[in-house]
Amino acid sequence: MPLHIQTPLIDSDAFSTPDQRVRLKLECLQPSGSFKLRGVGHACEVHAARGARRFLSSSGGNAGLAVAHAGHRLGLPVLVVVPESTLEWPKTLIRRLNAEVIVHGKSWTEANEHLMSLKRPADAFIHPFDDPLLWEGHATMIAEAAVQGPKPQAVVLSVGGGGLMSGVLQGMHSVGWEDVPLIAVETVGADSLNASIAAGQLVTLDAITSFATSLGARRVSDAAFQWTFAHEVVSTTVTDAQAIHACLELAREHRLIVEPACGAALAPVLGRSAPALKVATDVLVIVCGGVCTTYDDLKKLECQSTVS
Ligand SMILES: *Cc1c(COP(=O)(O)O)cnc(C)c1O
């Protein structure tokens, strides 16, 4: 039995138009609140079968929470080391699953180094986005979607480090969707894939300046970048304000709360901005979820992003 659940694929009457059917794959309904449980759950199960005694993560967000969830379910301890900048709410959720949370250092790099210094031989480190086991787990959402609904003319998702993208593309190629364009959305200030495509090589951003912290990988994985040569990937950016607006539309129309990192994927659909989206009669949006923003946070961010 996998640790993730089958999620609904719903027709969105609210976001569809007479010329375009929009379907939402509701990964926000995974028990850990995001798609991450698919890949992380799969990786943890494989490591446990190979004899791992403990799971390690340096994510203070949805990846760390998914590791905590997997460890809890598999009956193995979890250690998460996060930098001082990590929000209280995800730390609370991670601790609630009996995972040990250590706060160390100013940056993710410092936290990760500290975690590695604590690593014991039977520990399994679970990467947030760059591991074939994760992609295998994420790919299951497409295997499900292919049974639940028709073949779409575009798939839309958001990109942080590119783990979701790599898994979804792997899934698309195994169900015969290799000719369906992938609209890969990032927020301005977290647009490491977009910058890499523009430069023709992997680019490391100097800093993350977007509110969509779950998209905040300064550099995407090499695997994600390589996919842009093997599949039609349309890289698109949206502003934080557009991503937050999309979150509030999703809350109003479908009664679902997600992070700006997820709203980002909905924003070009609502704005009907990307050219590849203009011609698609059937669009599949991965509603990847995220638990790090509450509804109140979204309302506050809405004010901040319209002022600045
Ligand atoms: C992790 C995450 C992303 C980005 O996924 P990557 O695999 O890093 O590209 C997007 N949205 C949410 C809510 C996430 O937790």
Side-chain angles (χ1 to χ4, degrees):
M1 274 291 282
L3 300 179
H4 68 261
I5 62 163
Q6 274 214 19
T7 56
L9 176 71
I10 64 165
D11 267 39
S12 174
D13 291 330
F15 300 151
S16 296
T17 66
D19 301 323
Q20 185 172 75
R21 209 64 217 147
V22 174
R23 292 187 171 79
L24 307 175
K25 184 67 173 152
L26 298 181
E27 289 301 299
C28 53
L29 299 179
Q30 288 295 344
S32 76
S34 80
F35 76 96
K36 290 251 171 33
L37 188 59
R38 288 189 188 261
V40 165
H42 178 61
C44 288
E45 282 194 302
V46 169
H47 285 295
R50 289 178 188 161
R53 305 297 308 141
R54 185 170 72 156
F55 301 127
L56 308 185
S57 170
S58 49
S59 156
N62 298 303
L65 186 60
V67 177
H69 187 92
H72 190 64
R73 294 267 302 278
L74 295 169
L76 287 172
V78 173
L79 172 63
V80 183
V81 181
V82 295
E84 287 153 16
S85 55
T86 307
L87 298 171
E88 274 316 309
W89 178 233
K91 278 189 290 195
T92 302
L93 296 176
I94 292 170
R95 287 197 174 109
R96 199 155 76 188
L97 291 161
N98 298 331
E100 184 184 353
V101 179
I102 297 177
V103 178
H104 184 96
K106 297 247 175 292
S107 68
W108 176 82
T109 311
E110 284 171 50
N112 194 55
E113 274 167 16
H114 186 60
L115 178 70
M116 290 310 164
S117 75
L118 300 172
K119 189 174 185 298
R120 301 192 294 240
D123 286 344
F125 171 69
I126 310 297
H127 197 281
F129 58 80
D130 193 5
D131 178 353
L133 288 175
L134 295 175
W135 310 331
E136 222 172 282
H138 296 337
T140 60
M141 78 179 75
I142 298 301
E144 272 172 36
V147 176
Q148 292 170 310
K151 180 175 174 176
Q153 287 175 355
V155 174
V156 193
L157 48 62
S158 56
V159 175
L164 175 63
M165 170 180 157
S166 300
V168 162
L169 282 167
Q170 190 172 315
M172 287 171 66
H173 280 243
S174 62
V175 300
W177 293 4
E178 46 277 279
D179 56 338
V180 177
L182 181 78
I183 319 292
V185 191
E186 296 170 294
T187 48
V188 175
D191 42 358
S192 44
L193 177 69
N194 193 263
S196 298
I197 291 172
Q201 62 183 58
L202 272 173
V203 167
T204 306
L205 300 179
D206 292 333
I208 299 297
T209 55
S210 166
F211 287 140
T213 47
S214 293
L215 302 186
R218 287 170 53 223
R219 183 188 174 101
V220 295
S221 73
D222 188 46
F225 185 57
Q226 291 308 322
W227 265 115
T228 65
F229 301 100
H231 191 100
E232 185 186 351
V233 175
V234 184
S235 171
T236 306
T237 58
V238 298
T239 62
D240 278 354
Q242 288 171 320
I244 292 157
H245 173 73
C247 290
L248 291 168
E249 286 295 300
L250 184 71
R252 189 161 63 101
E253 299 287 359
H254 289 283
R255 301 151 303 281
L256 297 165
I257 314 295
V258 299
E259 287 180 23
C262 173
L266 265 174
V269 179
L270 299 186
R272 317 238 167 231
S273 47
L277 276 174
K278 287 210 172 85
V279 296
T281 55
D282 217 298
V283 175
L284 171 65
V285 183
I286 307 299
V287 181
C288 57
V291 302
C292 300
T293 48
T294 63
Y295 185 74
D296 289 345
D297 293 336
L298 290 173
K299 294 299 284 184
K300 277 185 208 135
L301 287 171
E302 183 187 33
C303 297
Q304 277 172 257
S305 66
T306 42
V307 171
S308 58

